Amino acid sequence: MFRYIVRRLIQMIPLLIGVSIIVFLLGHLAPGDPVRMLLGEEATQEDVERLHAVYGFDQPLPVQYFRWFSRAIRGDLGVSIRQTIPVSTLIFERLGATVELAVVSVFIAVLLGIPLGLFASTRRGSIWDYLTMIVSLLGVSMPGFWLGLVLLSYVALHVNWLPMFGRDVSIMTGLVTLFTKFRADDLINAFRFLLLPALALGTSMMAIIARLTRSSMLEVLSKDYIRTAQAKGLKKGVVVVKHALRNALMPVITMVGIQFGAMLGGAVVTETVFAWPGVGRLVINAITQRDFPLVQGGVLMMALIFTVVNLLVDVCYALVNPRIRYE
Amino acid sequence: MVRKSSLFVTLALLVVLAFSAVAGADNNTLVIGSGAEAVGLDPRLETDVPSFERINLINQALVQFATNMELEPALATEWSVSDDTMTLWFKLREGVKWHDGVPFTAEDVKYTYEWVLNPENGALNMGLYADIDEIEIVNDHEIIFRLKQPNAFLMNNIARMPITPKHDGDRVDFRQSPIGTGPYKFVSWTRDDRLVLVENEEYWGGRPNIPNVIFRAIPENSTRLLAFEAGEIDIYQGGMVAQEIGRLEADPKYVVQRTPGTGYTYLGFNTKVGPLADVRVRQAVSYLIHREGIVRNVLNGIGTPGIGPVSMSLPWFNNDVVRYDYNPEKAKELLREAGYEPGQINLRLFTNENPDRMRIAEILQYECMQAGINVEVIIEEWGAYLARVQETDDFDIFILGWSGQLDPDRAMIRQFHTNGSNNYGKYSNERVDYLLDLGRTVPQESQESIDIYREAQEIVVREVPYGFINYTEEVGLHHPYIGNWEVHPYGAAAWQDAHLMTKNK
């Protein structure tokens, strides 16, 4: 297992270099000039040339890339052109908000999605099955920004204690005040601000998990060993949860892992609708502004997080299914 | 058992706390919901309106624009421009202190401008001040700017450059935590979330009425409007949800303020390549812009039909120029005169993903088709679009807008002078060049200045390097409990007098 993890980590290096080259080329070969974006519509030619020299954009592309790369491997992702703040600072000050939103969304999705799928699969063909599947179809079909605005207009506007936008303190801060000062208000505030964005972001994932759990369960429930278990006279609950669900969860875990990795790259739409200060908005703004160091640094971070999460998912397989061994 | 009961108490506590209502900000805090986050807070480096909205509460220029767009004293109490417009003299306000208590002097003014003019510092707006040759300090409260060449309108650029402190301006993180002389002091800034300011008790203009100001960045217009209606923000700032303006104006719970802005939207024509090199074809297209319809239906009435480059509220505005009121017959006649049969002209119209501009493009495409001009509409991503318009002549028509056109020089010389830095359509007219150069050498308050720019407008509107679509309008939206605030024609100056505002919720 340890050797497997080390091998996977080493394999990540060429992958990340590949990603960085692709991002670099896509950025620089697409039309649009960061200096002109910075100067806006009032740019003069002299200003453009002066700033090109300041930022090194007058150098050939390979030179620019290797300059960036040689600093990046030493952990220096450069400085945002637009904000003159280190890229790593900009990313890390928003990473907490993004991770928090992703974790809570996944939590909501898993906590509701798996029981829903389980419920539907054990009542196959019944009215409950159809109802659950219709609800989850709705969940998959609703675009996130629409659901977000609906939640704001019909829930937050009328429920006084749900805020409309933004973020207050982090869950971490909330836990710290709870355990050091025995006050829960910070933690509650953290969740109050998180609830609607996490619902908006988690709903489609919940729906996908419910559908996947249902179909995967139906497949497993028709297997011979389930019939054997039933024939042995085991209780229905034990058969479903202990024998069937554990085996049915494999594809669900894969899906959760992929979605979670993607969410950690920032949920641009949800972040925008709820004015949530996460990395998605940061990187999208950086792309429209052609803030190359920030785009490159941001995408590299996302790729890193995504591959690490994938690795963790593979490790999880072994925990859920002891028959899986990594050599 | 003990553990169980303590768990229960905790849960009960959580529930009680959870249902306690969200307290909206009290009368001691003004919450402004802004459409975009500031890029930074250093007046020497920023160029965008959202940044200056915030900066103008903390830092101040020598002079500022009043809501009637006339210059009024700020850090300078008196000023004069010599008749040859080559020398500017300022008397600085005495007894002003920086937020850290250090007195404000002429050294700070000299420092700020010299910093901006030093190319190594990468100040984006350096070009606006490039005519300054040297700055002479007469004494602590008197300073003289000498110019390299006449520039009667430099005063207006000076109104856009808040002064930074010499003793603190080189701090590495000044851009993230500035100090100034303004009515509010910087407290903290969480990017993409909130900027917190507190009153400057020793402000020279009087202690602010509202002790705290918080800017919240809420990018989505619909969310910002909902937060405003829910009372979580006191003032709605930035892009208006146009479809909602009628409802908001009719609702007594809200106050909607409107004033003509300082910008305009236009069709830019390629005057050198293709059929639009013929002035009659350009005139024909201008006759096909249904300005009233566009303002009414696309902009939901926010804005006014375009006439020329100079805003109607400025004294230089020329009302007696050719009007291109929507007239398809006239357009067809001009096309015949130019020797074109219907269907012979093919034009490519570019715009970015701005929804209003895309709709304007479609409307124009239809009108042109009716008059026998084929228009292909091509929508490009902002960066790619800007690169095409600014760096190539590979277009026939583009749609863009100008904002902050505070004087006729700013509204015309870069756009219509043969050597203008933003003359993307390569327009050229000797008389216009002469007038625009001459205008800078004449004091801006003089009748001569007005005559010069009225003639220049007359020529430009007749020769149609631009098809003027609409003038912009600034909309301010706030709760009735906010007092002493007027929406400003120049968006960046919106909060410069925030110390006078009141809140009685």
Side-chain angles (χ1 to χ4, degrees):
Chain A
M1 187 70 164
F2 177 72
R3 279 179 57 192
Y4 171 76
I5 293 176
V6 170
R7 204 173 68 223
R8 283 283 299 265
L9 287 174
I10 292 170
Q11 280 172 355
M12 273 162 61
I13 294 169
L15 182 83
L16 292 175
I17 292 176
V19 167
S20 76
I21 291 176
I22 291 171
V23 172
F24 182 85
L25 286 179
L26 282 179
H28 284 79
L29 297 180
D33 175 341
V35 168
R36 285 193 182 272
M37 307 299 295
L38 202 62
L39 291 165
E41 294 168 29
E42 308 191 2
T44 64
Q45 196 55 39
E46 302 85 76
D47 284 340
V48 170
E49 280 162 20
R50 177 170 60 87
L51 289 169
H52 269 173
V54 169
Y55 295 118
F57 294 142
D58 50 352
Q59 302 290 321
L61 278 189
V63 175
Q64 288 188 47
Y65 178 76
F66 282 108
R67 269 189 191 170
W68 175 81
F69 182 76
S70 63
R71 279 198 305 253
I73 50 172
R74 279 172 281 157
D76 174 9
L77 290 176
V79 172
S80 152
I81 296 172
R82 198 167 159 77
Q83 306 187 54
T84 58
I85 295 172
V87 167
S88 47
T89 308
L90 286 171
I91 293 173
F92 281 114
E93 70 186 10
R94 288 170 180 77
L95 203 57
T98 294
V99 170
E100 205 167 73
L101 181 60
V103 169
V104 175
S105 303
V106 169
F107 204 69
I108 291 177
V110 170
L111 225 58
L112 295 176
I114 291 179
L116 266 181
L118 207 59
F119 178 77
S121 66
T122 51
R123 285 160 186 78
R124 188 182 187 181
S126 76
I127 178 83
W128 296 111
D129 183 18
Y130 287 119
L131 217 60
T132 316
M133 284 307 103
I134 288 170
V135 169
S136 65
L137 185 65
L138 277 176
V140 178
S141 320
M142 280 188 295
F145 73 90
W146 183 81
L147 180 63
L149 286 174
V150 166
L151 286 173
L152 285 178
S153 330
Y154 293 98
V155 183
L157 195 58
H158 301 292
V159 180
N160 216 0
W161 54 272
L162 279 175
M164 304 291 295
F165 69 95
R167 180 179 188 229
D168 197 24
V169 293
S170 68
I171 293 182
M172 220 27 125
T173 316
L175 287 174
V176 169
T177 36
L178 183 67
F179 289 115
T180 57
K181 297 179 187 151
F182 304 104
R183 275 186 13 232
D185 51 342
D186 273 354
L187 189 62
I188 291 168
N189 255 336
F191 277 107
R192 246 183 34 199
F193 281 83
L194 250 171
L195 186 62
L196 291 186
L199 259 180
L201 186 60
T203 298
S204 73
M205 187 173 169
M206 175 203 80
I208 296 170
I209 290 177
R211 297 182 77 82
L212 202 59
T213 308
R214 176 181 174 270
S215 57
S216 178
M217 275 297 284
L218 289 177
E219 196 190 319
V220 173
L221 285 173
S222 64
K223 288 270 163 65
D224 288 345
Y225 66 86
I226 297 293
R227 209 175 313 130
T228 311
Q230 284 167 336
K232 281 196 315 194
L234 288 176
K235 282 191 193 146
K236 192 180 176 194
V238 175
V239 175
V240 168
V241 175
K242 215 173 167 187
H243 295 250
L245 185 62
R246 265 188 101 150
N247 287 301
L249 276 184
M250 300 303 287
V252 178
I253 290 173
T254 311
M255 224 284 307
V256 170
I258 290 171
Q259 293 254 342
F260 183 57
M263 277 183 191
L264 286 174
V268 183
V269 172
T270 311
E271 285 174 10
T272 305
V273 169
F274 290 94
W276 190 260
V279 285
R281 263 164 78 193
L282 179 76
V283 174
I284 288 292
N285 284 335
I287 291 171
T288 55
Q289 297 296 339
R290 304 287 194 275
D291 193 337
F292 293 146
L294 188 49
V295 175
Q296 279 153 226
V299 174
L300 196 68
M301 282 297 294
M302 288 178 183
L304 184 67
I305 290 172
F306 194 84
T307 44
V308 169
V309 169
N310 256 325
L311 175 59
L312 291 178
V313 169
D314 288 347
V315 173
C316 276
Y317 286 153
L319 298 180
V320 175
N321 189 341
R323 284 176 307 182
I324 294 180
R325 292 272 178 276
Y326 294 111
E327 296 306 332
Chain B
M1 197 60 201
V2 174
R3 273 178 60 198
K4 249 186 190 169
S5 65
S6 71
L7 188 69
F8 177 75
V9 170
T10 313
L11 276 176
L13 201 71
L14 285 173
V15 170
V16 170
L17 278 168
F19 279 90
S20 58
V22 178
D26 59 16
N27 281 334
N28 291 327
T29 305
L30 175 70
V31 185
I32 300 169
S34 181
E37 182 55 283
V39 175
L41 298 171
D42 187 336
R44 300 165 293 183
L45 289 170
E46 319 311 341
T47 53
D48 59 311
V49 170
S51 294
F52 273 96
E53 281 175 7
R54 292 152 171 88
I55 287 170
N56 283 333
L57 283 172
I58 306 168
N59 292 82
Q60 299 178 300
L62 295 178
V63 290
Q64 66 182 28
F65 283 97
T67 44
N68 63 4
M69 294 310 288
E70 279 175 22
L71 291 174
E72 62 180 17
L75 286 181
T77 50
E78 291 170 57
W79 61 92
S80 70
V81 180
S82 67
D83 286 343
D84 62 357
T85 73
M86 293 276 283
T87 313
L88 276 59
W89 169 86
F90 295 92
K91 175 96 186 75
L92 305 182
R93 195 176 290 278
E94 298 194 21
V96 175
K97 281 182 184 160
W98 293 99
H99 292 156
D100 58 1
V102 176
F104 156 77
T105 69
E107 288 287 346
D108 297 311
V109 179
K110 186 175 158 83
Y111 160 78
T112 301
Y113 281 95
E114 286 181 348
W115 195 98
V116 169
L117 289 169
N118 179 354
E120 280 174 25
N121 289 325
L124 300 178
N125 273 333
M126 187 178 132
L128 290 180
Y129 307 95
D131 286 339
I132 297 175
D133 188 26
E134 55 170 356
I135 298 170
E136 182 193 325
I137 294 178
V138 181
N139 58 47
D140 269 1
H141 296 99
E142 223 173 301
I143 196 163
I144 294 173
F145 288 48
R146 295 188 205 288
L147 310 192
K148 293 175 195 156
Q149 54 192 38
N151 189 343
F153 297 96
L154 186 69
M155 275 304 294
N156 300 350
N157 295 342
I158 281 174
R160 296 159 69 123
M161 179 54 72
I163 304 303
T164 47
K166 186 180 182 187
H167 67 279
D168 192 48
D170 288 332
R171 181 161 47 90
V172 180
D173 59 348
F174 185 85
R175 199 179 181 191
Q176 277 80 49
S177 57
I179 68 165
T181 55
Y184 286 89
K185 296 189 276 192
F186 174 88
V187 176
S188 67
W189 184 23
T190 314
R191 278 181 287 274
D192 278 342
D193 186 28
R194 73 188 74 195
L195 170 70
V196 182
L197 307 175
V198 69
E199 63 177 331
N200 173 9
E201 293 173 17
E202 296 178 54
Y203 180 51
W204 56 263
R207 190 174 167 171
N209 291 324
I210 307 175
N212 308 293
V213 172
I214 301 178
F215 278 90
R216 303 300 306 266
I218 313 173
E220 172 61 39
N221 288 348
S222 317
T223 308
R224 198 158 69 259
L225 189 59
L226 283 165
F228 170 74
E229 291 184 48
E232 285 183 40
I233 58 178
D234 299 318
I235 299 190
Y236 176 103
Q237 174 81 359
M240 182 53 58
V241 184
Q243 310 87 278
E244 304 279 353
I245 187 110
R247 173 175 72 83
L248 295 165
E249 279 185 321
D251 195 329
K253 281 190 299 193
Y254 312 118
V255 181
V256 179
Q257 291 192 39
R258 302 172 69 154
T259 185
T262 50
Y264 60 87
T265 310
Y266 63 94
L267 294 180
F269 296 124
N270 188 335
T271 66
K272 280 285 166 286
V273 184
L276 290 167
D278 187 326
V279 64
R280 288 167 295 193
V281 181
R282 298 201 296 272
Q283 286 169 339
V285 175
S286 196
Y287 275 115
L288 293 169
I289 307 172
H290 199 314
R291 296 176 177 79
E292 274 82 17
I294 287 170
V295 169
R296 194 172 54 240
N297 297 315
V298 178
L299 309 175
N300 281 278
I302 303 176
T304 43
I307 298 169
V310 177
S311 298
M312 285 187 284
S313 52
L314 294 176
W316 297 272
F317 171 70
N318 187 349
N319 201 22
D320 299 322
V321 294
V322 194
R323 296 295 178 98
Y324 296 94
D325 293 332
Y326 175 68
N327 190 342
E329 291 312 314
K330 183 93 182 167
K332 285 180 200 164
E333 197 183 309
L334 281 162
L335 292 173
R336 262 197 306 278
E337 261 176 49
Y340 289 104
E341 295 296 320
Q344 261 190 336
I345 301 182
N346 296 296
L347 300 175
R348 288 179 311 148
L349 165 62
F350 289 90
T351 182
N352 64 319
E353 294 142 322
N354 176 318
D356 289 348
R357 290 180 187 166
M358 296 196 300
R359 288 181 66 195
I360 291 171
E362 285 166 15
I363 292 169
L364 192 75
Q365 182 184 37
Y366 174 79
E367 297 293 352
C368 283
M369 192 182 75
Q370 298 294 311
I373 303 174
N374 301 314
V375 173
E376 184 191 357
V377 174
I378 301 158
I379 293 155
E380 294 189 320
E381 186 268 347
W382 178 239
Y385 176 58
L386 216 53
R388 172 185 300 280
V389 171
Q390 294 184 330
E391 290 164 38
T392 75
D393 60 356
D394 187 14
F395 59 83
D396 294 307
I397 309 178
F398 60 89
I399 306 180
L400 269 179
W402 289 105
S403 61
Q405 307 299 293
L406 307 174
D407 57 59
D409 178 68
R410 197 169 177 77
M412 295 180 80
I413 195 158
R414 294 162 305 148
Q415 295 91 331
F416 306 124
H417 195 290
T418 305
N419 303 321
S421 54
N422 306 106
N423 186 354
Y424 311 133
K426 307 281 185 294
Y427 173 68
S428 179
N429 177 305
E430 270 181 41
R431 180 72 185 163
V432 170
D433 290 353
Y434 169 76
L435 289 169
L436 294 178
D437 287 335
L438 183 65
R440 285 194 161 185
T441 66
V442 175
Q444 54 166 310
E445 298 81 10
S446 64
Q447 183 59 38
E448 200 188 346
S449 175
I450 289 179
D451 293 341
I452 289 167
Y453 287 104
R454 289 204 173 155
E455 188 189 344
Q457 284 169 74
E458 194 274 318
I459 301 170
V460 163
V461 174
R462 182 157 37 84
E463 298 200 332
V464 209
Y466 281 6
F468 299 95
I469 301 171
N470 68 282
Y471 290 113
T472 57
E473 189 175 357
E474 292 288 326
V475 180
L477 175 60
H478 59 89
H479 289 280
Y481 54 72
I482 297 293
N484 282 345
W485 183 70
E486 230 182 304
V487 63
H488 202 290
Y490 179 39
W495 315 106
Q496 61 192 13
D497 291 325
H499 62 291
L500 301 174
M501 291 172 70
T502 56
K503 180 173 176 184
N504 292 300
K505 204 171 177 178

